Amino acid sequence: MPDPLTLAELEDIESRHVLRNYARLPVAVASGADVWLHTVDGRRVLDLLCGLGVTSLGHAHPAVTMAIQEQAGRLLHTSNLVHLEGPTRLAERLATSSLGGGVLFQNSGAEANEAAIKLARRHRRGGEIVSLHKGFHGRTYGALSATPQEAKQEPFAPLVGGFRAVPPTPEAIDAAVGAGTAAVLLETIQGESGVLPIPHEVLRAARAACDAHGALLIVDEVQSGMGRTGDLWSYAASGVVPDAITVAKALANGLPIGALVTGPHLLDVLQPGDHGSTFAGNPLVCAAALAVLDVIEAPGFLERVSEAGARLREGLEALPDVASVRGRGLMLAAELTPEAVERHDTTAALAGRLITEHDVWVNAPTPSALRLLPPLTIGDGQIDEGVARIAAGLTGR
Ligand SMILES: *Cc1c(COP(=O)(O)O)cnc(C)c1O
């Protein structure tokens, strides 16, 4: 094997041949194992971000690796023109663990939301999609149109018509939803905007408004689902049952997959030819997802996520530079004190130093918060180690 490329060599090639779309950290990763990432220059980084909530079982989880290897040697792809056991079993498990209806596979979170938007429009024969301020649903045009954030939308206008954004209050939702509403699309905890929990009363108001007007309530579980909050699906904590959910990120622990999951009353809305995707539901990604579900649905697993989340929360709350901690389970944000933000120039710069100098990876979704999406399998000792490394970074200047 040739020597791996160094960070400097990677940066040089990228400067000439990779579009500037991503601002990368000065870190080059060679491999990963469990909660650790191994850099090309031999450092071990504690990964408390999981590739943005994706590798929730940690890196190179043996059950997932084995499922992928086994399936890779058998069949990678056929298209959706034939029956396949793995994707069918996965659809059954996703549906029976949530809303009990049907599944349409996609390849990403944004695509799962595109499918949900098409389902809602087909169901109502048109109609408006209502989303919440600070919501995030993806970067493709439909999903972006439901993502009311100026910096993300403005450079790419004109967007898709028929979308409306409202503040996350019962009154605003009541006022916006009517006979012309196809769906309300929302997250239970707004991850990309800084782990902002939506109050349960807002979810209840959205449910009531949708019921009153025949609109669909669609919960985007792309980041909050798959056990991240300590429930398999985050909507469960609110007692509100949506008409459909969208799932992606952690579903296959790193392979690209997305899914729209509906209640039984929506099984017949989409008809052959309405929507499609060449790769969606391919047997390789579905084999990985089945292995992930086996782990997450094992007895005691989700209780442990809640326990680990409580320990991490307490550890962060005890840090003098942390004003408060929000979120649920292992989907958390630590809001820093204004003095701490000031001392570190920017919270993004702090997050940068945490990975480059203290070997712990978190990110800064807002100018004053650190977000943590650690592996759901993280141990108590690793949680304490993570808090200690963050503490060292915070007191480091
Ligand atoms: C990440 C995310 C998406 C977009 O998923 P992609 O796979 O990046 O397209 C959509 N909704 C939520 C809530 C997300 O966190």
Side-chain angles (χ1 to χ4, degrees), residues 15 84 102 111 132 185 199 210 228 244 283 353 379 391:
S15 73
L84 293 165
E111 279 186 42
L132 300 185
L185 171 62
C210 287
R228 173 60 53 195
R353 280 193 299 274

Side-chain angles (χ1 to χ4, degrees), residues 285-343:
V285 296
C286 291
L290 282 166
V292 171
L293 278 176
D294 282 344
V295 175
I296 292 184
E297 294 191 317
F301 186 90
L302 293 172
E303 288 78 1
R304 168 61 203 167
V305 172
S306 296
E307 231 177 71
R311 187 181 186 96
L312 179 56
R313 174 188 284 272
E314 280 166 28
L316 293 168
E317 281 171 347
L319 302 180
D321 289 325
V322 172
S324 62
V325 178
R326 58 179 178 259
R328 202 161 66 234
L330 284 170
M331 181 172 184
L332 296 176
E335 184 70 27
L336 304 181
T337 62
E339 302 75 51
V341 173
E342 174 95 10
R343 214 165 64 236

Side-chain angles (χ1 to χ4, degrees), residues 108-110 113 136-138 187 192 220 222-223 249:
S108 67
N113 285 323
F136 180 85
H137 301 290
E187 299 151 272
E192 293 307 293
D220 181 338
V222 168
Q223 190 164 148
K249 291 203 164 96

